[in-house]
Amino acid sequence: MSVIDKKYREKCWLTRDDYWKCLDTNKEEKEKCLQLRQLFESSCPATWVTHFDQKREYDIFKRQLALGEVETDKLKSIKGPSKP
Amino acid sequence: MSMISHLFSIRATTCLTRNILRATPIRLLSSASSSPNKTTNANDHILPKELPSSEKRKAKFNISWKTVSVTFIGAASLIAFIYYLDQRKMQKRKVLQRAAVGKMAIGGPFSLITHERKPVTDKDFRGQWLLIYFGFTHCPDICPEELEKLSEITDLLRRDKSTQKNPFQPVFVSVDPERDTPELVSTYIKDYSPHFIGLTGTREQVAEMCKHYRVYFSQGPKVGDDYIVDHAIIMYLINPNGEFVDYYGRNKNAKEVAYAIEQHMNAFKESNK
């Protein structure tokens, strides 16, 4: 079974969602969700795992930005050097 | 602003009408009132120049209020109708404006093979409305989402039998020609809709089409043999003349895209009667 198969894709997404739900309830503490993480990693190709990890980081950052929870240092490093 | 000037002109007409009518009832009622008074009033033979003030007031209310309300209702329905026509014109103009802007820069010839290994060019699609989505089969989440959307759009547009003269054809073009063989594309698109046509080809053929459509695509870092292709996430609408007409990003849902396409189809039908 590979990513071309719809059932494979759906199983991968399901394990990803379960893992993410665990992280939601455990305030991003990865140690508490190790089993689900393993299941997720075995159900999806490595490139997809990396992709979804990056997506999660980005989504959390976006949410924090919207809520104004991001520290100014972090913002500065993302904005880059200030333009004249 | 034109609406406000319309309103003002109609109010002016109403005022004018009211004033004109205030002058007339005096003459009309005086001829009616003279007959019952004939036998009793001594000064009867002289037509009174003015009605007694109470009669005058009654005359004003009896006729001018009715006429004013009729004029008002007429004016209100006229305004509503003008507003409706105005809105429709604005909508049509908006859709055509977008079409005009896009026509200049995007689109062009392409030469690829379908998921059934049939060689095709852009000319083979003349007479059809194309909605083209660029993606690849090893896509983690975005392409499946967009292809579900494309499938929904297809169902919505194929419901209307009147579009049959220029049928709607959804197209998937692979930006991963190294991996996406016609067979792979065929298996992939069948999961989304039986109506999809999948296109793939050599790297040069795909690059050529992407150049014309300004589609960015780039192979990401390899993990073993696997990689993800970074690419623009846009659907392109091509009319039956092969001209680019509009584009839709991730921010629009299936219903919104289908509606926008319907507007283009109607505009096309109008201009090609």
Side-chain angles (χ1 to χ4, degrees):
Chain A
M1 274 239 263
S2 78
V3 298
I4 304 299
D5 198 331
K6 190 176 193 184
K7 287 199 174 75
Y8 178 89
R9 290 197 294 270
E10 286 176 345
K11 175 148 190 276
C12 165
W13 294 334
L14 226 71
T15 57
R16 173 202 66 186
D17 292 339
D18 286 340
Y19 176 60
W20 281 358
K21 259 184 233 150
C22 176
L23 288 179
D24 284 339
T25 49
N26 287 293
K27 295 183 188 168
E28 304 302 308
E29 280 176 61
K30 295 187 180 142
E31 300 78 35
K32 302 216 168 138
C33 306
L34 286 173
Q35 225 182 354
L36 287 167
R37 172 78 188 182
Q38 268 182 349
L39 191 61
F40 167 47
E41 283 179 356
S42 61
S43 308
C44 306
T47 48
W48 287 29
V49 171
T50 318
H51 171 87
F52 290 134
D53 284 342
Q54 287 172 347
K55 182 180 193 307
R56 176 140 185 112
E57 257 186 53
Y58 179 65
D59 286 344
I60 289 173
F61 177 70
K62 257 203 316 191
R63 192 171 57 206
Q64 286 176 336
L65 210 64
L67 295 171
E69 291 170 7
V70 184
E71 310 110 39
T72 34
D73 285 358
K74 239 186 186 170
L75 263 177
K76 271 193 198 150
S77 67
I78 284 145
K79 276 187 181 165
S82 54
K83 291 175 184 149
Chain B
M1 283 313 281
S2 66
M3 283 313 305
I4 298 174
S5 61
H6 273 135
L7 277 162
F8 272 124
S9 66
I10 285 159
R11 263 201 82 173
T13 328
T14 319
C15 282
L16 260 170
T17 325
R18 208 184 295 174
N19 287 323
I20 291 167
L21 287 165
R22 267 203 199 122
T24 49
I26 299 163
R27 284 197 296 274
L28 288 169
L29 263 182
S30 62
S31 53
S33 64
S34 62
S35 26
N37 284 339
K38 243 188 187 145
T39 45
T40 51
N41 205 327
N43 295 321
D44 211 19
H45 57 284
I46 303 165
L47 209 62
K49 280 199 177 143
E50 266 189 68
L51 281 173
S53 48
S54 59
E55 290 272 18
K56 202 196 253 176
R57 240 178 281 127
K58 231 207 288 181
K60 275 188 210 166
F61 282 125
N62 272 341
I63 293 185
S64 38
W65 268 117
K66 212 197 258 180
T67 329
V68 162
S69 57
V70 164
T71 316
F72 226 72
I73 291 169
S77 36
L78 192 70
I79 293 171
F81 184 61
I82 290 169
Y83 181 70
Y84 166 69
L85 285 178
D86 213 9
Q87 286 295 91
R88 261 200 19 187
K89 212 201 274 181
M90 261 202 321
Q91 246 184 5
K92 264 193 195 165
R93 203 182 301 154
K94 245 193 261 177
V95 168
L96 292 172
Q97 253 174 5
R98 252 164 79 102
V101 165
K103 263 180 195 172
M104 304 292 119
I106 299 182
F110 58 82
S111 172
L112 297 160
I113 51 171
T114 69
H115 61 284
E116 290 166 331
R117 287 208 166 258
K118 183 176 128 191
V120 287
T121 68
D122 51 300
K123 293 191 173 55
D124 295 315
F125 292 104
R126 294 283 189 273
Q128 296 175 59
W129 284 90
L130 301 182
L131 191 59
I132 306 176
Y133 177 73
F134 294 85
F136 64 111
T137 62
H138 286 66
C139 183
D141 47 1
I142 294 169
C143 300
E145 218 176 278
E146 292 296 290
L147 288 174
E148 288 285 358
K149 194 164 91 179
L150 187 58
S151 174
E152 216 187 307
I153 294 166
T154 308
D155 289 338
L156 286 168
L157 290 173
R158 286 175 87 98
R159 245 181 0 197
D160 184 8
K161 295 297 173 195
S162 71
T163 61
Q164 285 319 305
K165 187 185 173 210
N166 296 120
F168 176 76
Q169 179 58 63
V171 177
F172 168 81
V173 177
S174 170
V175 292
D176 188 12
E178 278 81 19
R179 276 189 304 199
D180 287 349
T181 61
E183 292 71 34
L184 225 61
V185 170
S186 180
T187 313
Y188 188 66
I189 60 175
K190 282 199 166 70
D191 277 335
Y192 295 101
S193 172
H195 304 296
F196 285 179
I197 284 180
L199 296 179
T200 183
T202 64
R203 172 148 272 271
E204 292 71 36
Q205 288 172 321
V206 169
E208 183 73 16
M209 183 180 185
C210 287
K211 189 174 82 183
H212 290 303
Y213 281 83
R214 316 280 160 131
V215 174
Y216 157 77
F217 72 104
S218 151
Q219 208 177 81
K222 270 194 171 175
V223 177
D225 284 330
D226 198 13
Y227 55 86
I228 287 179
V229 181
D230 191 16
H231 62 91
I233 307 161
I234 305 177
M235 293 184 191
Y236 295 83
L237 182 67
I238 313 295
N239 72 15
N241 292 336
E243 300 160 327
F244 165 76
V245 160
D246 207 353
Y247 67 91
Y248 310 102
R250 296 192 74 192
N251 54 330
K252 285 202 154 69
N253 67 28
K255 283 203 182 77
E256 289 166 335
V257 177
Y259 177 76
I261 295 175
E262 260 171 355
Q263 303 309 301
H264 283 295
M265 286 175 160
N266 292 336
F268 185 82
K269 262 188 245 179
E270 287 292 319
S271 59
N272 283 287
K273 271 202 174 127

